[in-house]
Amino acid sequence: MAGTPVEYIKHHLQNMTYGQHPELGWKMAETAQEAAEMGFMAIHLDTMAWSIGMGLVFLFLFRMAAKRATSGVPGGLQNFVEVCVEFIDGLVKETFHGKNALIAPLALTIFVWIFLMNSLKWLPVDWIPSLAQAMGAEYFKIVPTTDPNATFGMSIGVFILIVLYSIKVKGLSGFAKELSFTPFNHWLLIPVNLILELIGLFTKPVSLALRLFGNMYAGEVVFILIALMYGAGLFLGALGISLQWLWAVFHVLVIPLQAFIFMVLTVVYLSAAHEEH
């Protein structure tokens, strides 16, 4: 691990990056500078691996619950899955005012997937990076939602659905009229309406991505700062243990809350896309 506190923090906030360096060709980035020089098309392998891995965990758990489902006394996993499904199904019925069988499964997937990715924050910050370093990987982050590439990837997916369903439900001309004549229903104010509506439309994915990323990234930084206290003497080390526990308990609320907010806003935005007016 890096020696100074600044190097330690930078080390833990750097992704495992693979891309084409303008001078060195295709390679794994060995420094943050190399990762930056690889440009937009570089891939964060750790973010991809952990996000896909948590998606597979989601599929495995829910498939197992479905296969073991019984009409008798349910087990713990079946209870958990049933609670999740019933809770999200009820919320979608109250929030979504259109007719689309895809919305409830989409909301369930978003909530559980983000919850699982966020839950990786409960692992001590040094465990997985130290193991990865012992295996030859200098940089390795384990919480995908602390990477804006992951949060923007999900929010852009939601944005594409918003546009597609707006066009499907209202028609291309209806969607264009909505952008042109809202909130001021006069042809002279079409330029003003377009500016306001397009800003509102494009801020939806930005707000979704930055809200999730900001909360998770800030929490990760605090965990890293607390971890630094372990090497600062007996008193600060003991204090760090207490703070680590308190911050982890606090994330019992933060982790599901951020998944819930992303899911609810997705449903609200898609509901607005289905409204014909």
Side-chain angles (χ1 to χ4, degrees), residues 173-188:
S173 61
F175 183 43
K177 287 179 181 178
E178 181 180 74
L179 296 176
S180 303
F181 291 95
T182 306
F184 307 112
N185 190 17
H186 195 283
W187 66 272
L188 286 175

Side-chain angles (χ1 to χ4, degrees), residues 10 12 36 45 53 84 87 93 96 113 180 191 196 208 262 273:
K10 288 182 178 180
H12 279 63
L45 298 179
C84 288
F87 170 70
K93 287 179 180 177
F96 184 76
W113 190 30
S180 303
L196 293 175
L208 275 177
F262 195 104

Side-chain angles (χ1 to χ4, degrees), residues 7-238:
E7 291 173 338
Y8 179 84
I9 293 170
K10 288 182 178 180
H11 179 276
H12 279 63
L13 296 178
Q14 176 66 40
N15 286 96
M16 178 193 285
T17 307
Y18 179 80
Q20 186 175 21
H21 191 274
E23 298 177 359
L24 305 175
W26 290 95
K27 66 186 297 288
M28 200 78 70
E30 298 178 6
T31 64
Q33 180 65 26
E34 282 190 4
E37 291 171 351
M38 288 177 177
F40 178 76
M41 297 305 293
I43 299 174
H44 290 175
L45 298 179
D46 43 11
T47 295
M48 294 292 293
W50 284 105
S51 57
I52 293 172
M54 291 301 100
L56 293 175
V57 169
F58 163 61
L59 294 175
F60 173 76
L61 291 177
F62 275 63
R63 183 175 183 274
M64 182 186 297
K67 291 181 67 176
R68 296 181 179 180
T70 175
S71 57
V73 179
L77 179 60
Q78 183 179 338
N79 267 326
F80 171 75
V81 170
E82 287 179 354
V83 167
C84 288
V85 171
E86 290 174 4
F87 170 70
I88 292 176
D89 186 58
L91 186 142
V92 170
K93 287 179 180 177
E94 295 175 1
T95 309
F96 184 76
H97 305 298
K99 292 183 179 179
N100 191 331
L102 176 67
I103 303 302
L106 176 65
L108 176 66
T109 301
I110 288 174
F111 176 76
V112 179
W113 190 30
I114 294 178
F115 173 78
L116 289 172
M117 289 191 289
N118 290 351
S119 297
L120 293 169
K121 190 179 287 291
W122 279 319
L123 294 175
V125 294
D126 280 334
W127 283 10
I128 304 300
S130 297
L131 179 61
Q133 191 174 46
M135 297 173 65
E138 178 63 26
Y139 301 103
F140 200 77
K141 283 176 64 177
I142 67 167
V143 185
T145 46
T146 60
D147 183 354
N149 293 281
T151 58
F152 269 101
M154 291 185 290
S155 67
I156 290 171
V158 172
F159 175 74
I160 292 172
L161 288 176
I162 292 171
V163 174
L164 288 178
Y165 280 118
S166 294
I167 295 173
K168 179 179 179 180
V169 173
K170 304 161 190 175
L172 185 59
S173 61
F175 183 43
K177 287 179 181 178
E178 181 180 74
L179 296 176
S180 303
F181 291 95
T182 306
F184 307 112
N185 190 17
H186 195 283
W187 66 272
L188 286 175
L189 295 174
I190 287 178
V192 177
N193 290 333
L194 283 174
I195 292 173
L196 293 175
E197 288 298 301
L198 288 175
I199 290 175
L201 183 63
F202 284 104
T203 54
K204 289 176 180 178
V206 174
S207 65
L208 275 177
L210 291 183
R211 181 183 290 106
L212 178 58
F213 162 71
N215 281 278
M216 292 297 102
Y217 186 83
E220 187 73 357
V221 170
V222 173
F223 272 121
I224 293 171
L225 292 175
I226 293 173
L228 281 171
M229 298 174 68
Y230 296 150
L234 183 60
F235 173 75
L236 288 178

